[in-house]
């Protein structure tokens, strides 16, 4: 599959943690004017606005998606707009509305306008307490106990349905917790793995909202972006799975992350005060078997805990020194 068959790309959720960096990466790869960033209410960053088109839409209102699709003759959508797990537990109705109806609207528009391809991320949240927690297989129990997880499982099934029933080329991965230095995550359970870096640099202290021994699968943003782009450019004939690829990069406990940060900032102190997010974390896998992604489209992550931590501290440290954190 050549990259040139995706000529006009729409990114929903472009102001979010993944969207803000993925949009810029896609613009570098496919041309600034060919990647249209759309957000809901969040004010876009300067980088997002100055490098290419930006529009506002509401994914729960289909006509707002269609308007942008027609205006820019969109043929590819990266659909990242979603409510994450922790906010989803506070506002389950909103999570259903945005994650399910938003996805349904995107898929329907993509079907009607005969789009080339759609990317929609799933998550480790698709798994649940009955899923094997170590080296979680590709094919396994999907019985999540969060609304976010319910929408992710239903979303995977819906995406696969659109492929089988309508031939719409929808692809997606089950992302682990994503760690990034540009945009903060908005209301997920794995947010501690990002917040800890900001607090370590600013205050040398962090109060973590999960226990020290909580192990979750994680991934650094460059790998997250690489996964999306590589999967979208993969040869369709090689894919046996479509919207539900397991994906893995690293796994560590909150305590191991704090210890890794202490190698760079020896005075850093981390305390642990678990809140409602502990139960969510406890229902998710500790590590993931991603051999299907490796076999079918050559997935291979670059960053481990040490490399990610060094890079995060370097990037955030520089911003802090410049008074921009
Ligand atoms: N990082 C996400 C969350 O915590 C998982 O998909 O909600």
């Amino acid at each position: 599959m050549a990259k040139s068959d995706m000529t006009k790309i729409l990114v929903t959720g472009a102001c979010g943690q993944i969207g803000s960096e993925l949009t810029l990466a896609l613009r570098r790869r496919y041309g600034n004017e060919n990647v249209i960033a759309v957000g809901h209410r969040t004010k876009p960053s300067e980088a997002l606005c100055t490098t290419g088109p930006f529009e506002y839409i509401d994914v729960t209102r289909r006509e707002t998606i269609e308007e942008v699709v027609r205006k820019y003759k969109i043929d590819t959508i990266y659909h990242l707009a979603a409510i994450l797990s922790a906010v989803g537990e506070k506002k389950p109705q909103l999570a259903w509305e945005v994650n399910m109806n938003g996805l349904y609207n995107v898929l329907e528009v993509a079907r009607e306008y005969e789009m080339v391809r759609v990317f929609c991320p799933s998550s480790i949240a698709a798994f649940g307490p009955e899923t094997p927690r170590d080296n979680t297989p590709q094919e396994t129990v999907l019985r999540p106990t969060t609304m976010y997880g319910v929408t992710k499982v239903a979303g995977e099934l819906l995406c696969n349905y659109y492929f089988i029933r309508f031939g719409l080329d929808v692809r997606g991965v089950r992302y682990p917790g994503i760690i990034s230095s540009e945009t903060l995550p908005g209301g997920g359970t794995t947010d501690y793995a990002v917040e800890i870096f900001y607090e370590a640099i600013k205050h040398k202290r962090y109060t973590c909202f999960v226990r020290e021994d909580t192990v979750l699968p994680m991934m650094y943003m460059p790998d997250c972006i690489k996964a999306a782009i590589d999967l979208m450019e993969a040869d369709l004939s090689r894919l046996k799975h479509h919207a539900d690829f397991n994906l893995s990069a690293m796994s560590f406990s909150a305590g191991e992350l704090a210890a890794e940060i202490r190698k760079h900032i020896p005075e850093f102190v981390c305390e642990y005060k678990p809140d409602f997010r502990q139960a969510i974390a406890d229902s998710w896998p500790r590590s993931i078997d991603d051999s299907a992604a490796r076999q079918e489209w050559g997935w291979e992550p670059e960053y481990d805990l040490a490399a990610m931590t060094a890079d995060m501290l370097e990037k955030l440290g520089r911003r802090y020194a410049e008074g921009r954190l």
Side-chain angles (χ1 to χ4, degrees):
M1 201 66 53
K3 78 176 193 188
S4 57
D5 61 356
M6 299 183 277
T7 56
K8 282 281 177 188
I9 300 173
L10 180 75
V11 184
T12 74
C15 299
Q17 185 196 15
I18 299 176
S20 58
E21 294 198 50
L22 180 63
T23 301
L24 299 183
L26 292 171
R27 282 181 177 164
R28 283 192 293 271
R29 192 165 178 82
Y30 299 99
N32 283 350
E33 293 309 309
N34 296 326
V35 181
I36 290 75
V38 295
H40 181 208
R41 286 203 195 115
T42 315
K43 195 172 166 286
S45 67
E46 207 189 309
L48 218 49
C49 290
T50 54
T51 56
F54 181 88
E55 304 273 352
Y56 284 104
I57 65 160
D58 176 352
V59 292
T60 66
R61 291 175 48 223
R62 180 180 160 160
E63 66 280 10
T64 67
I65 309 171
E66 273 191 86
E67 220 170 279
V68 177
V69 162
R70 273 200 299 267
K71 179 171 171 188
Y72 293 95
K73 301 191 168 40
I74 299 294
D75 57 36
T76 303
I77 302 181
Y78 283 74
H79 177 47
L80 303 173
I83 302 290
L84 292 185
S85 59
V87 172
E89 285 316 283
K90 300 252 189 240
K91 299 176 182 173
Q93 296 81 2
L94 179 71
W96 179 269
E97 177 68 13
V98 173
N99 297 5
M100 286 321 306
N101 292 340
L103 173 61
Y104 176 72
N105 287 337
V106 164
L107 291 174
E108 271 298 284
V109 170
R111 179 186 65 78
E112 236 179 64
Y113 288 79
E114 297 178 357
M115 293 208 187
V116 174
R117 213 157 296 137
V118 176
F119 178 82
C120 179
S122 183
S123 160
I124 51 167
F127 304 116
E130 295 146 71
T131 309
R133 295 191 67 198
D134 295 301
N135 215 20
T136 301
Q138 175 70 43
E139 259 57 74
T140 187
V141 184
L142 299 173
R143 293 172 63 83
T145 47
T146 60
M147 177 54 98
Y148 177 67
V150 168
T151 66
K152 286 296 168 188
V153 175
E156 286 181 5
L157 294 172
L158 192 63
C159 289
N160 285 334
Y161 177 82
Y162 269 70
F163 177 73
I164 297 163
R165 177 70 174 79
F166 302 117
L168 182 66
D169 187 357
V170 193
R171 305 180 184 189
V173 293
R174 292 171 178 152
Y175 277 131
I178 303 297
I179 298 167
S180 63
S181 59
E182 291 306 308
T183 308
L184 283 165
T189 300
T190 55
D191 292 14
Y192 64 89
V194 182
E195 289 170 9
I196 193 170
F197 285 100
Y198 283 77
E199 296 306 307
I201 285 178
K202 286 201 272 194
H203 306 116
K204 318 256 182 271
R205 282 196 95 81
Y206 180 58
T207 305
C208 183
F209 57 77
V210 296
R211 279 192 323 269
E212 187 172 4
D213 63 356
T214 304
V215 177
L216 285 174
M218 300 279 177
M219 178 176 287
Y220 195 32
M221 185 58 89
D223 281 331
C224 169
I225 288 170
K226 183 161 85 95
I229 291 177
D230 285 359
L231 175 57
M232 286 292 270
E233 290 185 3
D235 191 338
L236 178 63
S237 67
R238 282 183 65 195
L239 303 183
K240 295 191 195 71
H241 299 83
H242 295 275
D244 55 3
F245 281 100
N246 274 9
L247 207 58
S248 165
M250 57 183 112
S251 281
F252 50 76
S253 68
E256 284 164 342
L257 176 57
E260 190 63 35
I261 292 173
R262 260 193 300 278
K263 289 183 189 166
H264 302 262
I265 307 173
E267 62 275 41
F268 174 57
V269 176
C270 191
E271 291 174 301
Y272 302 87
K273 287 209 180 103
D275 67 13
F276 74 100
R277 289 168 283 193
Q278 183 69 53
I280 302 177
D282 289 341
S283 76
W284 290 352
R286 282 183 286 255
S287 60
I288 302 286
D289 174 0
D290 61 0
S291 44
R294 287 171 187 265
Q295 277 156 23
E296 292 174 40
W297 48 280
W299 163 246
E300 203 176 333
E302 277 174 23
Y303 285 85
D304 60 11
L305 173 60
M308 176 276 290
T309 302
D311 200 59
M312 277 293 282
L313 290 174
E314 205 261 314
K315 290 214 164 71
L316 294 180
R318 204 181 324 135
R319 287 227 311 271
Y320 186 61
E322 291 165 0
R324 295 190 295 118
L325 200 66

